[in-house]
Amino acid sequence: MRIGILGTGVLAGALGEGWARAGHEVAVAGRSPARARELAERLGGRAYAVTPREAVAGRDAVLLAVAWQGAEDVLRSAGAAEGTLAGTALIDPTNAVEHGRGVLLTEPGEAMAQRIARLAPGAHVVKAFHLFPSGQWTRLRTDGEPPVTVTMCGDDPGALRVVGDLVRDVGAVPAVLGSLDRARQLEEVAGFVIGLAFAGTDPGSAVPSGAA
């Protein structure tokens, strides 16, 4: 696939590494061209640095790998309001939560993924990759360790298939929760996980395993 990454931080590097290793073409863009070039060189393979507009042009999928506060600015620099992402799977891993507490900072009933969809008209937004720390995508699994599940939601079946393939390429299993109107629910789960983790509790110990 031809993948664009908007962002040069740890998540951009972690997922970009996995996708470059899988043989995908990865175009990296960020606010700093120098950092984009540095990340592309580190990824190797078919990775290269471009401008934000070039990162979204003609891509099979685009990863919005920035802090939620910077989403509007980077989408503006990519020309999203002009429809540059129309028809493209736009992966949203952002968490608009209060640091250390996990309380959502979006308006009541609003999901960050829905806000991003309004900022990028025509894009096929898929909420995904927002629950696990970036290191999950670069570490090697031990023998017999089952793959983690990446829960996603979105409105376009084709975009969900594309993102599902990219989930598998980093060693995880995709699970579609439903349409994008369930993104708020997924974002609340992230807040739950973050809040427990910062309080010193393993979130996994608070979730029943297996069938109820």
Side-chain angles (χ1 to χ4, degrees):
M1 296 188 204
R2 301 184 70 219
I3 302 167
I5 296 180
L6 295 172
T8 57
V10 289
L11 183 61
L15 289 174
E17 179 182 324
W19 293 335
R21 189 187 307 119
H24 299 300
E25 177 185 302
V26 180
V28 182
R31 287 179 296 179
S32 166
R35 289 192 64 183
R37 288 193 297 271
E38 179 183 341
L39 176 56
E41 289 170 5
R42 179 157 57 86
L43 295 179
R46 299 169 64 199
Y48 54 95
V50 293
T51 67
R53 280 182 176 266
E54 291 169 333
V56 304
R59 305 296 160 185
D60 298 295
V62 172
L63 173 69
L64 183 62
V66 296
W68 70 273
Q69 301 96 324
E72 184 171 357
D73 285 344
V74 75
L75 288 171
R76 185 185 300 113
S77 69
E82 304 162 32
T84 56
L85 280 150
T88 304
L90 177 58
I91 306 169
D92 167 33
T94 62
N95 285 315
V97 299
E98 183 178 345
H99 181 73
R101 294 186 62 221
V103 177
L104 263 64
L105 298 175
T106 48
E107 295 296 324
E110 178 192 36
M112 187 63 194
Q114 293 169 317
R115 185 184 299 181
I116 287 168
R118 292 194 298 271
L119 293 169
H124 299 312
V125 177
V126 175
K127 191 77 187 185
F129 293 112
H130 72 301
L131 276 177
F132 292 96
S134 302
Q136 174 66 43
W137 313 120
T138 54
R139 74 178 186 85
L140 297 175
R141 293 208 314 270
T142 58
D143 289 342
E145 181 184 358
V148 298
T149 297
V150 172
T151 311
M152 348 184 273
C153 64
D155 292 333
D156 184 77
L160 288 167
R161 283 194 297 272
V162 166
V163 178
D165 287 342
L166 294 176
V167 167
R168 294 183 185 94
D169 285 338
V170 291
V173 176
V176 178
L177 180 66
S179 57
L180 200 64
D181 60 8
R182 297 196 70 175
R184 172 83 183 192
Q185 186 176 15
L186 284 182
E187 293 172 10
E188 290 279 14
V189 171
F192 165 81
V193 169
I194 291 167
L196 283 181
F198 269 92
T201 298
D202 174 13
S205 69
V207 179
S209 59

